[in-house]
Amino acid sequence: IKFYAPWCGHCKKMAEDWKTAATQMKGKAVYAEVDCTVEKDLAQRFKVGGYPSLKLFRDGQHIADYKGGRDLRSLVNYVEKAQQPPAVAVDSASATADFISANTGKNVVVGFATPGSSSLSDFERAAREVGEDAGS
């Protein structure tokens, strides 16, 4: 959700890319806007301190503040990445090695858990939170 003020120059500058991102991602994600000069209580509730403030929500819950670029590619990439699963399951030592090799230059955390276990759920939750904190 983009929290903005109509008079804000930065908001005006990114308006077209925001609309284009919404069109490109239609059916996959919702790009919404809140005019903070009208919805003051909502802006206060989500601690909007400047404009534009971009916030990621999942299942109605605020999960991250977006701190990336304001251009079309950055706006779309961030949402696409946020929609990816927080962890990837591999079922063998060679698959694990292949995954690590394919992600050279990236931080890779490997966990071992039984499918459906609480350990796996905890790992996935932690992976998602770390990704959100890093601005995934």
Side-chain angles (χ1 to χ4, degrees), residues 30-102:
V30 175
Y31 285 69
E33 299 178 327
V34 173
D35 181 343
C36 295
T37 64
V38 174
E39 301 293 341
K40 293 176 183 173
D41 290 342
L42 199 55
Q44 184 176 12
R45 175 178 165 197
F46 289 105
K47 299 178 176 90
V48 174
Y51 305 115
S53 288
L54 308 178
K55 297 178 180 283
L56 180 65
F57 288 76
R58 182 177 292 117
D59 299 325
Q61 298 296 313
H62 172 236
I63 59 170
D65 289 339
Y66 176 71
K67 297 174 179 77
R70 303 303 206 232
D71 60 285
L72 175 62
R73 182 68 359 229
S74 297
L75 295 168
V76 170
N77 285 347
Y78 178 78
V79 172
E80 287 177 337
K81 188 172 181 184
Q83 292 176 330
Q84 293 176 0
V88 176
V90 291
D91 58 4
S92 68
S94 64
T96 302
D98 291 345
F99 180 78
I100 292 170
S101 293

Side-chain angles (χ1 to χ4, degrees), residues 110-130:
V110 178
F112 298 91
T114 304
S117 69
S118 62
S119 295
L120 181 58
S121 295
D122 291 345
F123 182 82
E124 289 174 338
R125 183 175 54 255
R128 185 171 305 283
E129 288 173 5
V130 167

Side-chain angles (χ1 to χ4, degrees), residues 19-31 79-80 83:
K19 289 177 186 174
T20 302
T23 299
Q24 285 185 9
M25 296 296 287
K26 188 173 183 176
K28 299 175 192 170
V30 175
Y31 285 69
V79 172
E80 287 177 337
Q83 292 176 330

